[in-house]
């Protein structure tokens, strides 16, 4: 009887084990889609980083002002692409040698920013506010009266 009880118990335990589900599980599809999205985003970030590094290396030439990762500002004197070294003049007569990967920022000259601004051909910008009242000799009461009058015009 003890043997039949063991057989019966083992048959009950075997019956309780579920057969593997043979079918399509939509959660697997969602999991694979998220995994693919993660890989695509990592590849995209890597390409952007590589493009930014190549752009920085293309702009790096003698005569350019740069800032290193550790906050050292200087003027590039020479670039050694074989050894990845840059000779950087940090003050007149003081030249240090740094690795080219330490360049964090290429400083644009301020003259380039001024060249984009448009300069008027006439003097109209100089005479723009000549019809405004001279407020340098007003008393406090006159200033308050003038501002109240201007406020009434705006409303």
């Amino acid at each position: 009887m003890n043997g039949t009880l063991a057989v019966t118990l083992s048959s009950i335990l075997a019956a309780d084990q579920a057969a593997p589900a043979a079918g399509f599980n939509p959660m697997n599809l969602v999991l694979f889609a998220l995994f693919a999205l993660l890989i695509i985003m990592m590849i995209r970030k890597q390409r952007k980083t590589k493009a930014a590094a190549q752009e920085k290396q293309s702009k790096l030439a003698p005569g350019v002002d740069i800032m290193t990762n550790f906050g050292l500002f200087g003027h590039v004197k020479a670039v050694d692409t074989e050894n990845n070294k840059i000779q950087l003049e940090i003050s007149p007569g003081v030249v240090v040698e740094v690795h080219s990967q330490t360049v964090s920022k290429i400083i644009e000259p301020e003259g380039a920013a001024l060249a984009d601004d448009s300069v008027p051909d006439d003097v109209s910008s100089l005479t723009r506010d000549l019809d405004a009242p001279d407020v340098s000799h007003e008393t406090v009461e006159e200033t308050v009266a003038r501002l109240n009058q201007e406020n009434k015009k705006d409303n």
Side-chain angles (χ1 to χ4, degrees), residues 80-145:
D80 183 9
T81 55
E82 278 185 25
N83 298 325
N84 291 329
K85 293 182 180 180
I86 298 173
Q87 290 184 354
L88 188 65
E89 184 177 29
I90 55 175
S91 68
V94 179
V95 178
V96 295
E97 205 169 71
V98 296
H99 196 275
S100 62
Q101 288 182 347
T102 62
V103 176
S104 68
K105 184 177 172 184
I106 295 179
I107 301 170
E108 299 293 330
E110 293 179 15
L114 295 176
D116 294 339
D117 295 339
S118 62
V119 178
D121 292 337
D122 57 356
V123 293
S124 64
S125 64
L126 300 174
T127 60
R128 191 175 323 170
D129 294 328
L130 287 181
D131 57 345
D134 183 21
V135 294
S136 60
H137 303 299
E138 284 184 343
T139 64
V140 175
E141 292 81 17
E142 291 172 341
T143 304
V144 170

Side-chain angles (χ1 to χ4, degrees), residues 42-54:
M42 287 180 0
I43 291 171
R44 186 172 175 231
K45 182 178 179 183
Q46 185 180 18
R47 284 184 184 171
K48 280 186 177 181
T49 305
K50 188 175 181 180
Q54 285 177 348

